[in-house]
C-alpha cells in the first residue's frame, strides 16, 4: 500500500507547495464512482483504506436495537487521508466508509450487556459484517447538502451489500453530523488515529 500511494502523496505535497492546494485536490483525490442514474457505486477495496477507529453501540445497551449495529469500523480513503494529514481539512472528493459488524455471541454471552467471556477478558468481540455506509464530500455534485456532504447506505442486512445507493435526505443523516461532529461533519472526536494526527500538528 505504501508504495502505491507514495507517488500520489509526493505529488500532493509538491503541488501544495508550488501551485496551491485547490489544484492538487481536484487532480489527486480518489473520488467515488457514480452511474448514469446518479447513484453511487459500492466502493471497491474500502477494507484496505486507512482504518481510523471502531465506535461500538451494543444492541444490548440500546434497548435491543442500536440505530447503527453494533461495531462501526471506520475507514478513510487514502488520498483523502493524506490531504487531511497535510492540511487539516477534508478535501473535495473525500470518501469515508463505515462498515458495521455485530458483536459475537456464544454460550457465555450475558443477556443484559451482550458481552462475552473470552481468554482476554469479558467484553465485546466482532462478529459478522452486517452493513455498509458511505460519506462523500462533493460540493459540485451535492450543492444542496450542507458542507457538500452526502450520506449513503448499502444496507444493514449483511453481505452481499447493494451494488449502488442513493443519497439520503439531509435531515436523515447530514443534520446530526452538522450539529455534533467535530471536524467538518466528521466525528474525528471518536477516532484515535485522527485525534493523534491532529494533536501532532
Ligand atoms: C443522531 C445522530 C446521527 C445520525 C442521524 C446519523 N449519524 Fe452517522 N454518525 C453519528 C456518530 C455519533 C458517528 C460517530 C460515532 C459512531 O459511529 O457511533 C457517526 C459516524 C458516521 C460515519 C463515519 C464517519 C464520521 O462522520 O464519523 C458514517 C459514514 C455515517 N455516520 C453515516 C451515516 C448515515 C449514512 C446516516 C443516515 C442514514 C447517519 N450517519 C446518520 C451520528 C449520526
Amino acid at each position: 500500500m505504501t508504495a502505491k500511494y507514495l507517488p500520489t502523496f509526493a505529488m500532493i505535497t509538491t503541488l501544495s507547495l508550488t501551485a496551491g492546494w485547490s489544484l492538487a485536490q481536484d487532480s489527486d483525490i480518489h473520488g467515488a464512482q457514480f452511474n448514469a442514474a446518479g447513484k453511487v457505486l459500492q466502493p471497491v477495496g474500502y477494507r484496505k483504506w486507512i482504518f481510523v477507529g471502531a465506535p461500538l453501540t451494543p444492541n444490548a445497551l440500546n434497548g435491543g436495537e442500536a440505530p447503527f449495529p453494533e461495531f462501526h469500523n471506520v475507514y478513510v480513503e487514502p488520498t483523502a487521508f493524506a490531504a487531511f494529514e497535510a492540511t487539516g481539512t477534508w478535501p473535495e472528493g473525500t470518501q469515508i466508509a463505515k462498515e458495521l459488524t455485530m458483536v459475537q455471541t456464544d454460550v457465555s454471552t450475558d443477556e443484559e450487556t451482550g458481552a462475552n467471556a473470552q481468554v482476554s477478558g469479558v467484553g465485546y468481540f466482532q462478529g459478522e459484517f452486517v452493513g455498509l455506509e458511505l460519506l462523500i464530500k462533493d460540493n459540485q455534485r451535492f450543492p444542496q447538502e450542507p458542507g457538500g456532504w452526502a450520506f449513503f447506505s448499502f444496507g444493514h442486512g449483511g453481505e452481499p451489500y447493494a451494488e449502488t445507493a442513493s443519497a439520503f435526505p439531509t435531515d436523515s443523516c447530514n443534520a446530526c453530523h452538522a450539529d455534533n461532529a467535530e471536524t467538518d461533519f466528521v466525528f474525528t472526536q471518536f477516532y484515535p488515529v485522527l485525534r493523534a494526527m491532529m494533536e501532532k500538528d
Side-chain angles (χ1 to χ4, degrees):
M1 184 201 75
T2 315
K4 188 171 165 200
Y5 288 107
L6 263 180
T8 310
F9 184 71
M11 223 155 74
I12 288 172
T13 313
T14 313
L15 275 175
S16 64
L17 288 175
T18 56
W21 186 246
S22 56
L23 177 62
Q25 277 177 20
D26 295 340
S27 53
D28 294 333
I29 301 305
H30 184 112
Q33 302 292 310
F34 294 83
N35 66 16
K39 290 184 156 196
V40 72
L41 308 189
Q42 191 188 118
V44 175
Y46 59 88
R47 288 178 193 156
K48 296 180 188 170
W49 292 357
I50 313 290
F51 177 75
V52 296
L56 168 64
T57 54
N59 285 340
L61 304 183
N62 286 276
E65 203 172 333
F68 287 93
E70 286 189 293
F71 278 97
H72 314 164
N73 294 319
V74 177
Y75 301 87
V76 179
E77 191 285 313
T79 58
F81 184 95
F84 185 74
E85 183 173 29
T87 66
T89 58
W90 295 110
E92 288 296 318
T94 293
Q95 299 181 77
I96 302 178
K98 162 163 108 166
E99 189 166 36
L100 310 163
T101 66
M102 303 305 286
V103 301
Q104 263 178 4
T105 55
D106 64 17
V107 289
S108 71
T109 303
D110 180 83
E111 261 185 43
E112 201 178 320
T113 62
N116 278 357
Q118 300 297 349
V119 287
S120 52
V122 175
Y124 298 100
F125 302 87
Q126 298 207 23
E128 301 309 308
F129 292 116
V130 73
L132 179 63
E133 321 280 324
L134 186 67
L135 193 49
I136 294 173
K137 180 176 180 176
D138 187 337
N139 275 287
Q140 216 166 7
R141 187 176 283 270
F142 304 105
Q144 76 287 1
E145 295 299 338
W149 288 100
F151 291 72
F152 304 87
S153 172
F154 297 90
H156 285 181
E159 296 185 280
Y161 304 132
E163 296 288 318
T164 62
S166 304
F168 278 96
T170 307
D171 284 350
S172 307
C173 314
N174 185 304
C176 175
H177 280 241
D179 288 348
N180 301 296
E182 205 159 276
T183 312
D184 186 14
F185 295 77
V186 180
F187 283 92
T188 52
Q189 67 263 44
F190 299 128
Y191 307 127
V193 172
L194 297 180
R195 283 204 313 266
M197 181 195 282
M198 291 160 82
E199 279 161 16
K200 207 176 57 181
D201 297 333

